[in-house]
C-alpha cells in the first residue's frame, strides 16, 4: 500500500473483499481463511499494526439493572430482529427484549409477567404462526408450566399472560421447558416433571394454547427430562433430547406423530459417555437435511461434544469432540445452523470465564474453527444462546455474571 500521499493525523480505511474464485480454500467467507494483514514501514521495517481481516464482534449490554438468573432464550422475530425472553430474579418476573435493529443497538424492554409468585423460570421463546412471539416459562412457586401469547412484535401486550399449560396436579412441572412450533403451526413443548423425574410433552391445539394435551414421554426409575430440547424433524414429527442424571447419558426421543402419542425411540441413548457424564448441558437443532444435530457437554472431560444424526430417528450417528482443552468448556452450550448449512456452536469457558464460538466446516463438524469472542476481567458466557441474523451472521446472547 503506497502511503506517500497520505495526510498526517487523518484516518484511512481499506477493505479486503473476496474474488470470484470457486476455490473454497481461499474464499474469505470461510471462517478458517480470514487473512491476517501486517502493515510494516518500508523505511524502518517496523511493524505498525496487525489486524485479522474479518468483521469482528460488537458487544452490547441490554439490561444491567437486574439480578439475572442465567435463564434466557432468543429467537429472530418476524421482522428479522432478535427477541429475547429472560427472568429478572429481583422481580421474580418474566421480561422480554425486542431489538429494533439487527445489531440490537436500539431495543425495547418490557415486563411480560410479574406476580407475587416466582415466574419466568426456564423461559423459551418462539414465533407463532401469526408472526408474534410466544413464550413458555415456569412458575416455581406453584410448580406450573405457563404460556404467554404476545399480541404485537414487542410483546407490549399479551393475550394470555398467565395461561397454565400444565398445573401438574400434585407434581412440580415445567422445569427445563423447550418450545417449538409444530407442523400444524401450533406450539409444542418438552419439559420435566420434577416430582416424577420424568420427561413430559405438551401439544397445543391452537395458537393461544387454550386447548392442550399433555403426555408423559419417558418415565423410569432414573431422573430424566433434564435440559430437554425440542425441534421438528423432516417428517413433521417432534424430536426431543434430554439428560439422564443418574446414568450420565444423553437421551433421544423421536415421536411418530405430531402429537407424540407414540414414540419410536423413547429411551434411545445418543451418547452413553462410557465412563463419562455427558449431556448435563445440551442444545438441539435440525440440520439442513432435517436430521437432528446436538451439541452438549462432557462433564467428566469438561469438553464440548457434538452428535450428527444420519437419519430422522437417529439410529445412525456421528459423534465428535469439538474442544477438549485443559480449561473447563461446554457449559451453557447452544447450537444452530449457519447460512452455509454448517453448524455453529456457542458455549462458555468456565476456567477463563469467557464466551467461545465454534464454526463447523462441514455438516458433521469434522473440522472446526474455535474463537474466544469475549474474554475480559468479568465473568461472561453464562447462558449463551446463538441464532443467525437476517444478514447471515451469528448473534449471541449471554450473561455477564460479574455485573448482575
Amino acid at each position: 500500500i503506497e502511503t506517500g500521499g497520505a495526510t498526517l493525523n487523518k484516518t484511512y480505511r481499506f477493505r479486503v473483499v473476496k474474488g470470484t474464485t470457486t476455490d473454497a480454500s481461499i474464499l474469505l467467507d470461510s471462517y478458517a481463511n480470514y487473512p491476517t494483514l501486517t502493515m510494516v514501514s518500508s523505511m524502518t521495517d517496523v511493524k505498525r499494526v496487525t489486524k485479522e481481516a474479518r468483521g469482528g464482534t460488537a458487544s452490547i449490554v441490554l439490561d444491567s439493572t437486574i439480578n439475572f438468573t442465567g435463564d434466557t432464550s432468543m429467537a429472530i422475530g418476524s421482522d428479522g430482529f432478535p427477541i429475547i425472553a429472560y427472568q429478572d430474579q429481583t422481580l421474580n418476573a418474566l421480561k422480554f427484549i425486542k431489538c429494533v435493529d439487527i445489531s440490537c443497538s436500539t431495543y425495547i424492554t418490557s415486563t411480560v409477567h410479574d406476580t407475587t409468585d416466582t415466574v419466568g423460570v426456564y423461559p423459551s421463546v418462539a414465533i407463532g404462526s401469526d408472526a408474534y412471539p410466544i413464550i413458555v416459562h415456569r412458575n416455581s412457586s406453584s410448580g406450573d408450566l405457563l404460556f404467554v401469547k404476545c399480541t404485537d412484535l414487542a410483546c407490549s401486550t399479551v393475550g394470555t399472560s398467565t395461561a397454565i399449560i400444565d398445573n401438574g396436579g400434585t407434581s412440580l412441572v415445567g422445569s427445563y421447558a423447550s418450545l417449538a412450533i409444530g407442523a400444524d403451526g401450533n406450539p409444542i413443548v418438552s419439559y420435566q416433571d420434577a416430582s416424577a423425574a420424568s420427561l413430559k410433552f405438551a401439544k397445543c391445539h391452537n395458537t393461544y394454547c387454550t386447548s392442550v394435551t399433555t403426555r408423559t414421554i419417558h418415565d423410569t426409575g432414573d431422573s430424566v427430562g433434564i435440559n430437554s430440547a425440542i425441534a421438528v424433524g423432516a417428517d413433521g414429527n417432534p424430536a426431543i433430547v434430554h439428560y439422564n442424571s443418574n446414568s450420565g447419558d444423553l437421551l433421544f426421543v423421536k415421536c411418530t406423530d405430531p402429537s407424540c402419542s407414540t414414540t419410536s425411540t423413547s429411551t434411545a441413548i445418543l451418547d452413553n459417555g462410557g465412563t463419562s457424564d455427558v449431556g448435563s448441558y445440551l442444545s438441539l437443532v435440525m440440520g439442513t437435511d432435517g436430521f437432528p444435530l446436538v451439541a452438549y457437554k462432557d462433564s467428566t472431560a469438561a469438553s464440548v461434544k457434538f452428535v450428527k444424526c444420519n437419519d430422522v430417528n437417529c439410529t445412525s450417528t456421528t459423534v465428535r469432540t469439538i474442544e477438549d482443552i485443559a480449561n473447563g468448556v461446554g457449559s451453557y452450550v447452544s447450537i444452530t445452523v449457519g447460512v452455509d448449512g454448517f453448524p455453529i456452536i456457542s458455549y462458555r469457558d468456565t476456567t477463563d470465564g469467557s464466551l467461545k464460538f465454534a464454526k463447523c466446516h462441514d455438516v458433521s463438524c469434522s473440522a472446526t474453527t474455535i474463537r474466544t469472542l469475549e474474554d475480559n476481567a468479568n465473568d461472561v458466557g453464562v447462558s449463551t444462546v446463538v441464532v443467525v441474523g437476517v444478514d447471515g451472521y451469528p448473534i449471541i446472547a449471554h450473561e455477564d455474571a460479574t455485573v448482575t
Side-chain angles (χ1 to χ4, degrees), residues 3 5 19 39 46 64 73 78 84 95 123 195 202 229 253 277 300 304 316 327 338 340 355 390 404:
T3 60
M39 306 194 61
V46 175
S64 61
S73 178
S78 56
I84 303 169
K95 297 186 74 173
S195 298
V253 172
D277 182 354
T300 304
V304 184
S316 169
N327 286 4
D340 56 4
L355 172 66
V390 291
T404 58

Side-chain angles (χ1 to χ4, degrees), residues 210-227:
T210 55
S211 173
V212 61
T213 300
T214 62
R215 291 187 171 89
T216 298
I217 302 299
H218 188 184
D219 186 8
T220 68
D222 288 349
S223 181
V224 299
I226 298 171
N227 290 329

Side-chain angles (χ1 to χ4, degrees), residues 69 71 87 93-94 118-124 136-140 174 177:
T69 65
D71 292 339
Q87 189 199 36
L94 174 66
T118 298
V119 298
V121 184
Y122 300 114
S124 184
V136 292
H137 61 114
R138 183 174 189 255
N139 182 332
S140 64

Side-chain angles (χ1 to χ4, degrees), residues 1-3 14 36-51:
I1 301 173
E2 176 56 55
T3 60
F14 66 94
T36 296
L37 306 175
T38 302
M39 306 194 61
V40 178
S41 169
S42 61
M43 295 179 63
T44 61
D45 200 34
V46 175
K47 182 172 72 173
R48 299 300 184 191
V49 65
T50 297
K51 179 66 177 177

Side-chain angles (χ1 to χ4, degrees), residues 174-192:
S175 297
Y176 311 110
S178 178
L179 170 68
I181 303 300
D184 61 359
N186 295 326
I188 54 175
V189 189
S190 65
Y191 56 103
Q192 188 196 42

Side-chain angles (χ1 to χ4, degrees), residues 214-284:
T214 62
R215 291 187 171 89
T216 298
I217 302 299
H218 188 184
D219 186 8
T220 68
D222 288 349
S223 181
V224 299
I226 298 171
N227 290 329
S228 80
I230 192 170
V232 177
D235 58 0
N237 297 328
I240 306 169
V241 291
H242 60 115
Y243 171 61
N244 182 330
S245 64
N246 291 92
S247 62
D249 296 337
L250 177 66
L251 305 182
F252 176 80
V253 172
K254 184 65 182 73
C255 304
T256 55
D257 60 69
S259 297
C260 213
S261 58
T262 58
T263 62
S264 60
T265 51
S266 61
T267 59
I269 299 175
L270 288 185
D271 189 349
N272 65 13
T275 58
S276 293
D277 182 354
V278 298
S280 58
Y281 291 92
L282 60 86
S283 180
L284 167 69

Side-chain angles (χ1 to χ4, degrees), residues 76-81 83 98 127-128 130-133 153 390:
I76 297 297
S78 56
D79 59 0
F81 303 147
I83 56 173
K98 170 72 181 78
I127 302 300
D130 60 358
Y132 296 144
L153 294 178
V390 291

